[in-house]
Amino acid sequence: VVTLRYDDRGFGESSPAASGWTTEDFKKDALAGIGLLREKFDKVGVLGHSEGGTIAMMLAAEDQADFIISLAGMVVSGAETLVYQNRVALKGAGLPDDVIESYCRLLETAFDVRVNGGWMPDPDEYDLPEPLLQNYWAVVAQIQMPYMIYLLSLDMRSHLAAIDCPVLALNGTKDQQVEYGANLNALTEGLPPGERNIVMPVEGVNHLFQHCTTGAVTEYREIEETISQEVLDIIVNWLAS
């Protein structure tokens, strides 16, 4: 098995960061890598983590990959994922459930407006504490960026039926960035039947597939394990089979 790895745009020795890039641009970069590999190899697949997992699905739906491996990939919309992340973060901060739900409803409305048009909601109607009001206006500024506009509307569910290559999809049960249940369920329901497909949760690991206590982002750097050996074994055994 030969692998090609490269720096994403804006990292390492690649191009400097720019505000106009979207996930579509990152997909095209991966496709360039596939084109390079097809000059020498008969079978070329894509392994991606998080956004990379979504890109793997995008390429598979376009019949550009012979197999894909999605690690913590996002299948549901970016808007749903961002609401999930905020709900988890606010719960971890100890805010009352009614405040969390009120703020998440505000975000859902704002994201829908950003994608489908209309007027941004007035946060004063949601009875929120001042820190959350300030956070909301910061979010409103963020979702004006091309990357965020694209991410909010990115939803792989309508594209899954077009994927006919083998798929291995793993998501951690303690992932606080990409909810494992909603995304794995969407894959299970949307992918065409295939005996080589494996869609499964990995118990007790976070977004980086580290065994963890809470799954919180702040916990990542405290964990010595880089990635679960169990996950590596699943990948290797699936490829070998």
Side-chain angles (χ1 to χ4, degrees), residues 66-117:
D66 296 312
F67 62 89
I68 63 169
I69 300 172
S70 169
L71 302 177
M74 181 185 76
V75 184
V76 303
S77 72
E80 291 170 73
T81 299
L82 290 174
V83 170
Y84 167 74
Q85 291 175 356
N86 275 272
R87 180 175 283 112
V88 169
L90 295 176
K91 190 174 184 65
L95 272 69
D97 288 345
D98 59 332
V99 173
I100 294 173
E101 292 308 312
S102 182
Y103 184 68
C104 287
R105 286 197 305 272
L106 173 61
L107 290 182
E108 288 171 347
T109 303
F111 294 160
D112 182 71
V113 168
R114 178 65 272 185
V115 172
N116 298 308

Side-chain angles (χ1 to χ4, degrees), residues 73 75-76 84 157 170-176 178-189 199-202:
V75 184
V76 303
Y84 167 74
R157 285 173 289 199
L170 307 175
N171 289 65
T173 60
K174 290 192 174 182
D175 191 332
Q176 293 193 5
V178 176
E179 184 181 12
Y180 84 95
N183 288 281
L184 291 183
N185 287 340
L187 268 177
T188 300
E189 294 171 3
V199 177
M200 63 179 289
V202 182

Side-chain angles (χ1 to χ4, degrees), residues 37-50:
L37 292 171
R38 288 206 185 279
E39 296 176 5
K40 297 185 178 183
F41 304 100
D42 294 331
K43 295 292 185 181
V44 181
V46 179
L47 182 152
H49 174 260
S50 197

Side-chain angles (χ1 to χ4, degrees), residues 207-220:
H207 187 62
L208 303 185
F209 293 94
Q210 301 166 311
H211 288 94
C212 61
T213 302
T214 67
V217 175
T218 53
E219 195 179 37
Y220 295 171

